[in-house]
Amino acid sequence: QDYFGVCSEVMIKDNVVVVYEVLEEMLDNGFPLATESNILKELIKPPTILRTVVNTITGSTNVGDQLPTGQLSVVPWRRTGVKYTNNEAYFDVIEEIDAIIDKSGSTITAEIQGVIDACVKLTGMPDLTLSFMNPRLLDDVSFHPCVRFKRWESERILSFIPPDGNFRLLSYHVSAQNLVAIPVYVKHNISFRDSSSLGRFEITVGPKQTMGKTVEGVMVTSQMPKGVLNMTLTPSQGTHTFDPVTKLLSWDVGKINPQKLPSLKGTVSLQAGTSKPDENPTINLQFKIQQLAISGLKVNRLDMYGEKYKPFKGIKYMTKAGKFQVRT
Amino acid sequence: MLALPPVQKLLRQLPVGPKPPVGGDVAEELTSPVLATEAGQPACYSALRADELQPLSGPEPTVTTGTGAPPWHDDLKEMLDSNKDSLKLEAMKRIVAMIARGKNASDLFPAVVKNVACKNIEVKKLVYVYLVRYAEEQQDLALLSISTFQRGLKDPNQLIRASALRVLSSIRVPIIVPIMMLAIKEAASDMSPYVRKTAAHAIPKLYSLDSDQKDQLIEVIEKLLADKTTLVAGSVVMAFEEVCPERIDLIHKNYRKLCNLLIDVEEWGQVVIINMLTRYARTQFLSPNQNESLLEESTEKAFYGSEEDDTKDAKAEAAPLAKRKPYVMDPDHRLLLRNTKPLLQSRNAAVVMAVAQLYFHLAPKAEVGVIAKALVRLLRSHSEVQYVVLQNVATMSIKRRGMFEPYLKSFYIRSTDPTQIKILKLEVLTNLANETNISTILREFQTYIRSMDKDFVAATIQAIGRCATNIGKVRDTCLNGLVQLLSNRDELVVAESVVVIKKLLQMQPAQHSEIIKHMAKLTDNIQVPMARASILWLIGEYCEHVPKIAPDVLRKMAKSFTNEEDIVKLQVINLAAKLYLTNSKQSKLLTQYVLNLAKYDQNYDIRDRARFIRQLIVPTEKSGALNKYAKKLFLAQKPAPILESSFKDRDHFQLGSLSHLLNTKAVGYQELPDWPDEAPDPSVRNVEVPEWTKCTSREKRKEKVEKPFYSDSDGESGPTESADSEPESGSEESGSSSSSSSSSSGSEEEEEEEEEGSGEQSEDKEEEEEEKRPKRKEKEGSWQAAPGSAGSPSEEEEDEERAKKAKKKVALQGKKGCAETSEEEASGFESSSSGSDSGSEAEATQRKAPPSSRAVPKEISLLDLDDFTPPTPQPISSSSVISTSLVTDLEGLTLIDTSLAPTLLSPGFGAVRTYELLHRMAGEGLSVEYCFSRRPFPGDQHMVAVQIQISNNTDTEVKSLRVSEPKPLSGMRIQEFPEIEYLAPGETASVVMGIDFCDSTQAANFQLCTHTRHFYVSIQPPVGELMAPVFMSENEFRKEQEHLAWLGEGKLTGMSEITEKLMLSEKYRSDHAIVQQVTSAANVGRVPCGADNEYRRLPGPHWSIPRDGGTAQPKALFATGRFAAKTVTSGSLVLITLEQREGAAAQLTINSEKMVIGTMLVKDIIQALTQ
């Protein structure tokens, strides 16, 4: 949530009153009333340490005494009278690869789901346009309500008056029809033998089509079959854990060094007496690649109208693994 | 109460702290109900005084001190009574925290209520929270606060008004119902839309409190429904759904408005509105699929129908004819579909789901596909959303399989999915399976079978079974696969596959005796009763195929009979009986033995069965005739079971509803009404009362110059305004508000923004408008006179001539706003020309009407203009004329005429060129011509309407003319014309088809079929037909051209410019001719000219009358003509500027994003002008 950062039980307990106030504003007799966080923030200001201090001194409150003019204006998502000394607009293009890779390493399905998250801190009522180098890539798009749909339809340009602060500008989908470059590969050799209660286990992860970028934050998790008692493994890099209760193996690899591929080798000890599990575990993969949008999407330019100042503009690309699964 | 004192005493000893100790809570909860019930009345009166008395402790103790009030409450009270806001706030926060923890804080009620008048907003809000929670319990006390709310309702601050209303309506005290009613009524006409919204929210609250108020509330709802702000729309529809969902008649008038506002309404409102509109549309429109279903179901019947047509037996044919009439979607229906489509891209899953169900329930089959993509996207979100979406997808995929086929892979299952999701995905995959994709699906299934999730594996096996039944080709493969599974180690898997195999075998038992044998062997190993029973049944059923094994199996089973499960025992008896009948020699003794065992079984069912079967099969002296038929009874052919999806019949629930999810009727579920057989009167939606008043006031305004132009549309957004301002901005686009068939390529939203952006400009215009008005008035008078003097009105040439004359006059009056007037003229002509055709009195009245009562006939014509809905569904609605441009409006007129009587289609007027599609020689007597009618295609605005004229020059009739096998190039789409059932010799038929050329001049190829022949034909569009005229003022034109950054919409980036010099040919020196040539070469709209150089200013042969208005500009040395258009598919602007230099020299400039189109257009125009 925008209000408390993390939404946890403790947080809610500590801020009962604010939560109450917020919910009160959001719902009226069970019907949603105002759910746009920008407006809510205007009605009830989120608690910050600074404000708490100020409040105790001055006796003022969290509740805004101004009208939420935004709700009444044409742009209900933006509050009015925003002021910043540093005017900046950041856009993060984040793409996630959903893929299922089969035993032999060929791709069964792969899609790219992307989002553009924005953090816009601009004074006044800026009107932004964002254009892409290759908008045709985007197959299925869903927008924040601020985006003018017609403009997109006709010109493939995102034109919008942004809400204040963090928001998700659009999420898109690059369909499976387009070939998706799979940036990593996994070599695996997992076998259980009927006779002994030991199995072999070996995984190697390596980069594939990364366009020269390094693959970071690699994390391998795998749900072992119930029959597995314990695993004795040695990683060439990173750390690994195996939880004998949930049978979850996780291996935090970190960065992949193309010269020295990380691998995890060892043996699996099975419960004695049980037959060998008839399914090999699937391997779930997580990774991150900075400065790369795997679909090749590129933002062409960002223009601002309606305000005089020059904003600072920044764009960041990132590729992540979404539901990336390797069947073994 | 009696039991309390010890506890209370104990409490007193507890330390006073800010946080109540645990013991206190218990006591608290014990005390308060007592307080609430017994002490309610006195506390109320005492509290009245307590407002003055500080502190409150005075009266309260009469109840509480006796037993001892919890001391920490005193502490809170003191804080509440203090003067400091911060203390009050602190107290309120603690109280609210208490409420949140589920503790009872009701005995603080009096103290809290006092603070309702507190100045501090946060305290106030918390008091509201408290009040809403406890008011129902302490009604009398709550009444104290009412006056504060009433005061709050009059507060200048709209937020306070709104929150006062909210709390007031949340207090569930029956006594204040009248006050609430009054407050709601008042708020419903509040200035602030936010307050009106709150009023709408209050309606269901009041309704649930007192349903007697329904009638009054409906009145308020009706009033609010007419509201034009997006803020209110969602809430009021919510209220409508809660209070009076059956009053569908309230929607009629607001239907179009709601459709148009939809995209701007907040998300939750969108959901409610879409759902409501779905229901509405189901009652008000005809099913778009009725034709297809009719054709599918009874092609036979239709054929007979056409046979009878020959005999012209009109009477008997009446009913089927009416049904076979080509279905044309009600424009309002189309409007709804068009306006909801963008919402598929909403970020809110609920909205997407709502649109999806709307499309599923309302859209024609061909269009439902668009929702698939969006639904697949939703599969990415939380598992809850996934679950709901998949349920709906499962239902949809049964009915419309093709829709989701391209997304097959998106339904592949990941091992991390929760089981429910897996099973649903499986369901979808199974539904999607067809002959082409079955192999991939089966391969997927193979991986699933090895999954660890056993429920899922079982479901997969069932799914394989279903695939096998549905697709005959793979049945053997499936069976083999399943038989392999029989050796699986997991019992569940084996059992499940046995059951499935049993079902499959039933379909073709003869070929599979091997499998049956294999299964017979399995009886030794399989323990799952269901599977054992299935095997036994199979063996019994097909014992003739396995004559040797069957008795053996029975022997084994007889041995273990006593230890079997009931279901297995029954099947053993069954098997025995069957064997006895077929092979009594070997199995007689065994059967006797089994029956004897069963006779003494514990289960009466089995005993009964044994007794019954013994009587039936074992011949005794007593046994009657039944014995003979025993074999027939037992070994009858049994129909194979049909493996069906459990989602098969779910679609009778509205998709996306809770009832659909649960597959049972939920409380409050409203059945989705069926399509009506006959379309209800579409005109009910026409009566847009507010619009009318505006329209008439517009008329009046022309007469009363003093009245400020924007007087009554100030600050309002929505259709009325855009309808009003439509002529001002010179753009037709917002015509969508009322004339739903408009070709709008820009949206209303844009329109509004544009208007905001050009506030100043519009003011300017306003002024000009006022200057101009008297002039226009006199001109109108002259126009009115013109037709009077004109002769025979029944001929169209006459009309055209008149139109020309009038146009000249308009042109002479030329000013900025000329678009408006001439458009009205056009409408006048429109009605009059149609009047002359049909011989109605409309024209007559118009002609006879003296200028003084001009407003009356004018209004009539406007009526026609705005809300003309053809009485019979006909693709050519004359309202589309509106959207042709100023320059082409005359052509539009001819077009209407030609469409009514196609033989009159004459290229003489210059604009419409016909092309040959099929020569009469090549077509064996069938000749086909086409022309570009330059009307927006009614179905799809991205399509170019091609009018096809088919004449039958043979001496036999031609039947079932249709388009088939369109082979469009990539991206091209063809909307075929409805099949022409029959064309008599010598007759001519005219149809309209739509082609989306994707802004390229590539030819569209397709086949034209008759009942005997196929002709390959292709339509190649001239570049000029790939665009539709756009109206823009000169200023706009310039702005567009100069790439100016414009706040609103309409900036063009990367526009390219092509300039070419040319020498005008002799005959096209005159401006009129130039305009004609340009507009005939391309479907462009003339930009109404501004104050400077322009054709009509030039003295040409046609414009010999000097200009009025006293503008002292010198005659321009050269003139400029501007034309604008948008390409049909992508909607990119094409701007044409033609500057006439001295003599014959001229310069042509074309600005367009599309280079290719630009260059081709330049060529075309030059050719047209230099010939």
Side-chain angles (χ1 to χ4, degrees), chain B residues 848-869:
Chain B
K848 280 171 202 159
S852 58
S853 67
R854 189 173 49 225
V856 182
K858 261 293 193 184
E859 234 172 88
I860 292 168
S861 68
L862 259 166
L863 250 153
D864 283 346
L865 173 85
D866 276 337
D867 278 351
F868 180 76
T869 7

Side-chain angles (χ1 to χ4, degrees), chain B residues 369-520:
Chain B
V370 298
I371 61 175
K373 211 189 253 180
L375 286 178
V376 169
R377 187 185 65 228
L378 290 188
L379 290 180
R380 271 278 296 180
S381 44
H382 315 288
S383 61
E384 293 84 5
V385 176
Q386 267 189 52
Y387 181 72
V388 175
V389 171
L390 278 171
Q391 286 251 5
N392 289 299
V393 170
T395 311
M396 286 187 213
S397 59
I398 289 172
K399 257 201 154 173
R400 311 263 157 86
R401 182 196 292 163
M403 206 163 98
F404 290 100
E405 254 167 38
Y407 306 100
L408 184 73
K409 288 193 169 174
S410 306
F411 296 104
Y412 280 6
I413 293 153
R414 291 162 206 281
S415 63
T416 40
D417 290 333
T419 308
Q420 286 91 335
I421 304 266
K422 281 182 184 165
I423 289 172
L424 276 173
K425 278 188 175 174
L426 206 59
E427 176 73 42
V428 175
L429 283 177
T430 318
N431 290 337
L432 292 182
N434 62 15
E435 305 213 342
T436 49
N437 59 22
I438 184 70
S439 55
T440 40
I441 291 184
L442 281 181
R443 216 175 304 134
E444 266 300 294
F445 282 175
Q446 266 170 17
T447 19
Y448 299 161
I449 284 167
R450 294 192 294 127
S451 160
M452 278 181 276
D453 186 343
K454 289 308 166 208
D455 290 340
F456 170 55
V457 173
T460 311
I461 294 168
Q462 277 173 7
I464 294 176
R466 265 181 54 206
C467 286
T469 38
N470 295 339
I471 302 158
K473 216 172 67 181
V474 293
R475 197 168 294 155
D476 291 343
T477 335
C478 288
L479 256 180
N480 288 335
L482 288 171
V483 170
Q484 275 170 25
L485 279 181
L486 291 179
S487 50
N488 193 298
R489 243 170 312 143
D490 192 89
E491 213 169 70
L492 240 145
V493 175
V494 179
E496 200 62 48
S497 19
V498 167
V499 177
V500 173
I501 289 174
K502 182 200 98 179
K503 288 178 182 164
L504 287 181
L505 283 184
Q506 251 184 297
M507 282 191 259
Q508 30 180 206
Q511 306 150 27
H512 297 295
S513 51
E514 274 307 307
I515 295 174
I516 297 175
K517 275 179 204 158
H518 182 81
M519 288 174 75

Side-chain angles (χ1 to χ4, degrees), chain B residues 292-351:
Chain B
E292 289 148 59
S293 57
L294 204 81
L295 283 177
E296 281 161 21
E297 284 163 22
S298 54
T299 26
E300 203 74 341
K301 219 187 266 172
F303 187 72
Y304 280 127
S306 63
E307 287 282 292
E308 278 171 66
D309 260 0
D310 298 355
T311 63
K312 309 267 176 195
D313 189 358
K315 255 186 241 168
E317 277 301 287
L321 254 179
K323 273 192 177 172
R324 252 185 302 110
K325 208 162 29 184
Y327 169 80
V328 172
M329 194 181 274
D330 191 304
D332 290 329
H333 191 174
R334 170 56 59 200
L335 175 76
L336 174 62
L337 292 178
R338 201 177 55 218
N339 279 329
T340 45
K341 199 171 170 186
L343 295 179
L344 279 175
Q345 316 220 285
S346 168
R347 61 172 175 175
N348 188 322
V351 176

Side-chain angles (χ1 to χ4, degrees), chain B residues 1096-1163:
Chain B
R1096 58 182 67 161
R1097 295 279 152 75
L1098 275 178
H1102 292 272
W1103 320 105
S1104 47
I1105 312 159
R1107 260 182 319 114
D1108 63 337
T1111 32
Q1113 278 180 9
K1115 278 180 192 172
L1117 285 174
F1118 53 85
T1120 313
R1122 295 187 184 82
F1123 306 88
K1126 260 184 185 172
T1127 58
V1128 173
T1129 305
S1130 63
S1132 44
L1133 275 174
V1134 179
L1135 306 176
I1136 304 169
T1137 320
L1138 189 65
E1139 281 177 65
Q1140 203 175 354
R1141 300 282 160 84
E1142 275 165 278
Q1147 184 176 334
L1148 178 70
T1149 311
I1150 291 187
N1151 300 74
S1152 170
E1153 246 181 320
K1154 306 242 169 191
M1155 280 292 284
V1156 186
I1157 287 193
T1159 38
M1160 290 173 83
L1161 198 59
V1162 166
K1163 265 188 220 156

Side-chain angles (χ1 to χ4, degrees), chain B residues 1038-1100:
Chain B
R1038 291 227 169 122
K1039 273 197 180 133
E1040 299 281 5
Q1041 209 176 14
E1042 287 161 27
H1043 312 197
L1044 270 185
W1046 175 276
L1047 226 182
E1049 302 295 318
K1051 190 186 74 95
L1052 273 179
T1053 50
M1055 212 191 216
S1056 63
E1057 190 172 271
I1058 304 157
T1059 312
E1060 197 83 25
K1061 287 210 172 75
L1062 69 152
M1063 296 297 281
L1064 292 173
S1065 115
E1066 275 302 309
K1067 43 188 172 173
Y1068 302 130
R1069 293 275 167 86
S1070 83
D1071 37 48
H1072 179 70
I1074 287 174
V1075 170
Q1076 234 189 44
Q1077 280 300 310
V1078 173
T1079 49
S1080 72
N1083 190 12
V1084 290
R1086 174 84 178 271
V1087 172
C1089 306
D1092 59 11
N1093 321 320
E1094 201 222 321
Y1095 282 139
R1096 58 182 67 161
R1097 295 279 152 75
L1098 275 178

